[in-house]
Amino acid sequence: MASQSVLTPQAEDFPRWYQDVVAKAEMADNGPVRGTMVIRPYGYAIWENIQSAIDLRIKAAGAQNAYFPLFIPESYLSKEAEHVEGFSPELAVVTHAGGELLAEPIVVRPTSETVIGEFMAKWIQSYRDLPLLLNQWANVVRWELRPRLFLRSSEFLWQEGHTAHATYDDAAAYALKIHLEVYNSFLEEILAVPTYLGIKPPSERFAGAINTMTCEGVMRDGKALQMATSHELGQNFAKAFEIYFQNEEGQAALCHTTSWGASTRLVGGLIMAHGDDHGLIVPPRVAPIQVVVLAVRDDEEVLSACDRIVKLLQAAGVRVTMDQGRGSFGRRITDWEIKGVPLRVEVGPRDLAQGVVTMVRRDNDEKVAITIDALASTASSLLETMQSDLYASALARRDAATTDTTTVGEALEIAQQGFARLPWSVVNGEGETTLKSQAVTVRCLQRPDGTMPSSDSEPGLVCLVAKSY
RNA sequence: CGGGAAGUAGCGCAGCUUGGUUAGCGCGCCUGGUUUGGGACCAGGAGGCCGCGGGUUCGAAUCCCGCCUUCCCGACCA
């Protein structure tokens, strides 16, 4: 019997589909306070895999992990004018503690440029202390008016990097290095999500930055999702927090700082970039479970074969779990599909009689019979194939969702379903206002060949516009 | 934060208009049995401060007020 769908089909109602998947795949729940999120073990396991892949790259880029406090004096925020202006609407402020009204309110960090700036000033004495390359894994709070699990929650988890450099060039180069070697590398190689790399137009810049670089993902409904950002902060924060160093000539000089972050939003991006009507599709390299070994029936011969197979896969370094064969077969398949486990190994009497197992790919439902001898090597290579196939199909969708155009009017129409690419000179100014009035924004600026511009004033830039999450 | 809709068992819902036995149904869950190659079946069972607080009333899931939460559309954002 053909199963009726468990999830709302994407084409019928994409946001509903998203919520269904998050709930049914046991990724997350809403917390009791509006906008808060409970991340369930399966969702958290994915996040942990994301974390370790990003952390590895951050360390390779030379930054060190540290931890700064959740509570920030309100006065710190005010030290950088644009920064405080950008963040004050979404701040959570503690006014009472220990049963008393506080003399100075305490802000729950929305990001940590300010506290870290304060300590950079203290720690940096000479050019020999530079560059100072820090990162922290933390939770932050930004009061959200329209929350969505993983995509926008009032409290979320992220990594925020903060660096100080002696020169503008060094700072700009480092922010770009993070953008490419940490974020883009992670997105392509691990999350299998192709993005548009570019810089934000001035209107979309981080509050207090002189340049913001972005990785804009294309979701399956054609909307954009900012998946990671890297900022050049110039000397704005250095001035506000007096981050000076003594240069080789013995003179005092202001540092140039950067900051960059990626959050639990990546989990939402993964869901919306790869998922289909049957549920999640988790790329093998981030999948907490890469292979599920499914006993077709609950009998001794089948189960002991499954046991053997699990051990073979574990020995080959595959993250594998076993489904004991209780309950109906179809039901169990559906459940694993919703969770997006890349490979399913079905083991039943019919397979065993022929000395094989059936291996099924989650992304294209392709089934192959594999001898048990060849199982581990086939699984490993199929996982790698799937990883690159997922990237390739996401890339094909990205390109199919993008249309070149020349006018703001056309761009508006295209942006109802996807991305429009057009000259920045056409949009810059009034065009941007027109787009915004219909919830369409400039996601990023690029050179015509798709590479990163060095600034928004470079001539001949194109922009990508879309609706966004 | 503005406009709309909604909150009844884990999930989806009926009941509310017209207040009145013990608040129902489907799925899921538990027990036993039969099953098992794409959401199985039979029998039995557990599970409810009807979102929270107040009011009206002899009596409130039902009527009134306030708050909280969720969803959709905007403005703000990783």
Side-chain angles (χ1 to χ4, degrees):
Chain A
M1 213 46 235
S3 60
Q4 66 187 116
S5 65
V6 175
L7 306 167
T8 306
Q10 292 186 341
E12 186 184 313
D13 185 343
F14 195 84
R16 188 67 196 257
W17 168 86
Y18 179 82
Q19 286 167 219
D20 285 355
V21 176
V22 169
K24 299 227 163 97
E26 300 177 332
M27 299 285 280
D29 252 330
N30 284 306
V33 172
R34 179 180 170 75
T36 60
M37 165 169 67
V38 176
I39 305 176
R40 302 183 64 177
Y42 190 62
Y44 200 79
I46 292 174
W47 173 241
E48 286 180 311
N49 288 338
I50 289 173
Q51 267 188 304
S52 61
I54 291 178
D55 198 60
L56 195 75
R57 285 167 173 73
I58 288 173
K59 285 171 180 156
Q64 291 182 294
N65 284 338
Y67 185 79
F68 292 82
L70 172 70
F71 295 131
I72 300 179
E74 194 177 44
S75 58
Y76 277 29
L77 272 289
S78 328
K79 288 191 183 182
E80 213 288 324
E82 280 184 34
H83 191 65
V84 69
E85 194 189 324
F87 279 105
S88 26
E90 30 182 350
L91 292 181
V93 182
V94 180
T95 55
H96 290 73
E100 293 188 10
L101 181 68
L102 295 169
E104 186 193 344
I106 292 167
V107 162
V108 180
R109 67 175 162 228
T111 175
S112 304
E113 275 74 8
T114 60
V115 228
I116 296 181
E118 181 82 6
F119 283 84
M120 283 178 160
K122 182 174 174 182
W123 296 337
I124 295 167
Q125 305 289 320
S126 90
Y127 70 93
R128 293 181 197 276
D129 298 321
L130 296 175
L132 179 57
L133 310 174
L134 300 172
N135 177 65
Q136 81 167 341
W137 288 94
N139 57 338
V140 285
V141 169
R142 298 179 187 179
W143 215 249
E144 284 299 339
L145 303 175
R146 197 175 166 189
R148 282 166 165 286
L149 289 173
F150 291 114
L151 301 173
R152 222 184 296 105
S153 49
S154 287
E155 178 191 2
F156 58 90
L157 306 181
W158 77 345
Q159 139 293 300
E160 50 177 324
H162 298 269
T163 69
H165 306 258
T167 65
Y168 167 83
D169 285 347
D170 193 43
Y174 196 77
L176 181 62
K177 179 189 175 82
I178 294 290
H179 185 60
L180 300 175
E181 294 175 18
V182 176
Y183 298 139
N184 190 46
S185 154
F186 163 78
L187 286 164
E188 280 188 14
E189 290 171 24
I190 308 296
L191 221 53
V193 175
T195 58
Y196 284 118
L197 301 182
I199 65 175
K200 287 290 183 187
S203 61
E204 303 282 331
R205 252 180 225 149
F206 176 75
I210 60 168
N211 184 31
T212 289
M213 293 171 247
T214 179
C215 302
E216 291 291 320
V218 182
M219 304 296 103
R220 288 192 85 149
D221 63 347
K223 285 200 191 179
L225 183 73
Q226 182 175 310
M227 300 191 72
T229 50
S230 192
H231 315 287
E232 294 172 29
L233 302 174
Q235 296 181 311
N236 292 344
F237 286 87
K239 271 179 209 147
F241 289 89
E242 302 181 342
I243 312 174
Y244 286 96
F245 69 100
Q246 204 168 36
N247 64 22
E248 290 178 64
E249 287 78 46
Q251 295 154 331
L254 261 185
C255 286
H256 292 76
T257 65
T258 78
S259 71
W260 25 279
S263 72
T264 37
R265 173 179 278 187
L266 287 169
V267 179
L270 163 112
I271 296 170
M272 293 195 297
H274 294 303
D276 66 14
D277 283 348
H278 296 286
L280 280 177
I281 297 178
V282 186
R285 290 185 189 165
V286 268
I289 300 169
Q290 295 172 310
V291 177
V292 56
V293 176
L294 214 100
V296 165
R297 59 170 59 184
D298 181 13
D299 84 28
E300 207 176 308
E301 194 197 353
V302 171
L303 288 179
S304 75
C306 286
D307 250 341
R308 217 164 57 238
I309 288 161
V310 166
K311 291 201 176 89
L312 280 173
L313 290 169
Q314 275 170 343
V318 174
R319 296 190 287 273
V320 58
T321 200
M322 178 163 155
D323 181 315
Q324 295 283 347
R326 298 201 163 274
S328 86
F329 185 64
R331 175 52 189 266
R332 291 182 285 133
I333 287 175
T334 311
D335 286 346
W336 291 113
E337 277 178 345
I338 291 173
K339 283 203 152 77
V341 173
L343 280 180
R344 185 165 89 225
V345 172
E346 300 175 358
V347 183
R350 230 148 66 196
D351 300 295
L352 293 179
Q354 296 166 50
V356 299
V357 295
T358 305
M359 199 173 271
V360 189
R361 281 174 62 159
R362 170 64 181 88
D363 58 334
N364 61 12
D365 225 30
E366 227 169 73
K367 294 186 188 186
V368 278
I370 307 286
T371 64
I372 294 181
D373 291 343
L375 180 82
S377 63
T378 308
S380 300
S381 72
L382 263 184
L383 288 171
E384 279 311 298
T385 307
M386 257 188 87
Q387 180 78 31
S388 53
D389 285 358
L390 284 177
Y391 180 81
S393 52
L395 182 61
R397 280 195 300 273
R398 184 199 76 171
D399 292 342
T402 307
T403 310
D404 284 297
T405 181
T406 49
T407 70
V408 170
E410 281 174 353
L412 267 178
E413 252 172 67
I414 292 160
Q416 300 309 311
Q417 316 270 2
F419 278 54
R421 179 168 32 216
L422 69 170
W424 169 229
S425 58
V426 172
V427 175
N428 194 0
E430 239 172 79
E432 217 182 338
T433 316
T434 309
L435 292 173
K436 263 192 187 162
S437 71
Q438 295 190 41
V440 174
T441 49
V442 175
R443 304 313 304 165
C444 67
L445 312 181
Q446 296 187 322
R447 289 180 179 150
D449 65 358
T451 58
M452 295 285 302
S454 56
S455 97
D456 62 282
S457 55
E458 233 180 76
L461 294 181
V462 296
C463 62
L464 285 143
V465 309
K467 290 192 170 183
S468 71
Y469 280 99

